Amino acid sequence: MARLLLVDDDPAMLFALKELAESSKHEVVLAPSGAEALALLDGVDAVVTDYAMPAMDGVQLLKSIRDRDESLPVILLTAHGSERIAVRAMKAGAYEYVTKPFDIEEMGLVLERALEARALRVQNRRLSAEKALGKSIIADSAPMRRLLDAVSRIAPRDITVLIGGQTGTGKELIAALVHAQSRRASGPLVRFNCAAIPGDLAEAELFGHARGAFTGATQARPGFFGEAHGGTLVLDEVGELSLTVQAKLLRALQEGEIQPVGTGRVEKVDVRAIAITNRDLAADARAGRFREDLYYRLAVVELMVPPLGERREDIPTLAAEFARRYGHRFGMEGVRLSPELIGALGRADWPGNVRQLENAVARMVAMSGGGDIRPDAFVPANTQGPATEGALATEGALTWKEQLDAFERGLIAEALSSADGNQSEAARQLGMSRSSLIDRLKKYGLNSSAE
């Protein structure tokens, strides 16, 4: 199902277009003017607009849309005999024009072709993103497709980005994706955890320091800004910085200058900043807990990573990918989540978001004997008693013993594979007796050729 924006100042025409779109099971957004249409572009897959509208005509609207997203297909409706206008529209970048009164079947075909073209562009962007990042990106849901579309548009533009969202949603992945698709991709990507460094040391860590600048400064350091020169600096949990450091961060971003602690000199830096937060920085700024001028400097473009509850279409693919990944890590090739288990995961609540889902799947894979994993392996979080807010994000994480067992199982499986199933040879590689190996094979449900 696609999302169509229909624009016309004639209510009767809007109704006719709406009926046509909904008959093909598409979601419809209506706008009676060009100005209102521009406020509704988020998440739209195609636009159908009339040419003759007051204040802003269809071609003017088309140009404004292409300034924001040149890949979004726009279909222009023109009156019969307006070939001159149609030519002007095509030169301005319209996907197609249709004369009124239009044939329903013809209009339907034009819409479907436009949506197919849009889907292909989105897919190409996703493949390009995966290639740039070096890992797969799960984006079956509309909210994630819209987010990746926004990333692909803003990444090449050297502007500051603020990424918000709940804990465990994958904000760090989106930050890495912005860098990977930017003109700075060949430069360094440096991450600074603002919450992990005490306030009095954050300045020295960010901007560098001279030897002896403070107790424990046994040698000079360039700082995270210096390390990120020519690349991207990710400021994780930026809301945790003290107001004093915030003021110096603002100067660094505005002027491109830093002053390492204890040096008395100013240095030029070329850094793109991406800030990450799970807090409402706008509310913090209004309350005086965060500098308002820094908030606006960081939020030139603001991206919001949706919680897993708003992207449930991604859960089956995410779960299958995690099962494959951890099966490989634990030496358990061929691990599969049964359709019934996938359904249970899709219906469950995930307050800890993608991180919680990943941990839950990792636990089930580690505790399984391989092959198909059934629904009884999954214990929903809401059946495990009350949990604190901090515990929600790590619900389902493996205990140390489980991690050690999974690691040992993987080593044994790898040794068996290397030895072509020969237990004596595998035991020799592992530095253990054959009897100890056989005990572990029984423990982990591994099979090999007996001798």
Side-chain angles (χ1 to χ4, degrees), residues 164-171 277-278 304-308 310 350-353:
Q166 298 176 7
T167 298
T169 51
K171 299 185 291 295
T277 184
N278 60 6
M304 186 63 62
V305 184
L308 193 54
E310 294 180 7
W350 300 103
N353 295 297

Side-chain angles (χ1 to χ4, degrees), residues 351 356 381-382 384-395:
Q356 183 188 6
N382 58 11
Q384 299 176 353
T388 64
E389 183 178 355
L392 292 176
T394 57
E395 174 59 46

Side-chain angles (χ1 to χ4, degrees), residues 7-87:
V7 191
D8 203 309
D9 61 334
D10 180 356
M13 181 56 67
L14 269 185
F15 179 80
L17 290 169
K18 178 175 179 290
E19 289 288 299
L20 172 62
E22 290 182 340
S23 68
S24 299
K25 309 300 182 185
H26 296 310
E27 181 184 351
V28 173
V29 183
L30 304 178
S33 70
E36 291 178 69
L38 291 175
L40 298 170
L41 284 178
D42 186 36
V44 166
D45 296 301
V47 179
V48 180
T49 178
D50 189 26
Y51 166 73
M53 296 185 295
M56 179 185 293
D57 67 30
V59 174
Q60 291 171 324
L61 173 60
L62 166 65
K63 292 178 178 177
S64 296
I65 290 173
R66 289 186 61 79
D67 284 342
R68 298 191 186 187
D69 183 2
E70 62 182 15
S71 70
L72 183 63
V74 179
I75 300 166
L76 195 74
L77 299 177
T78 65
H80 180 68
S82 302
E83 284 77 10
R84 181 180 56 82
I85 294 172
V87 171

Side-chain angles (χ1 to χ4, degrees), residues 117-191:
R118 175 64 167 181
L120 184 60
R121 288 174 183 144
V122 170
Q123 182 182 18
N124 287 339
R125 282 179 173 176
R126 177 172 167 179
L127 293 174
S128 173
E130 290 181 344
K131 182 179 179 181
L133 199 56
K135 61 176 65 176
S136 60
I137 300 172
I138 310 302
D140 296 330
S141 64
M144 281 302 294
R145 291 201 307 270
R146 291 196 291 269
L147 177 61
L148 293 186
D149 185 54
V151 168
S152 67
R153 280 184 278 128
I154 62 97
R157 298 166 185 172
D158 207 20
I159 52 179
T160 308
V161 180
L162 176 62
I163 302 174
Q166 298 176 7
T167 298
T169 51
K171 299 185 291 295
E172 298 85 357
L173 176 67
I174 298 302
L177 184 56
V178 172
H179 171 75
Q181 293 187 292
S182 74
R183 296 186 179 94
R184 296 174 177 266
S186 60
L189 173 63
V190 179
R191 178 177 174 270

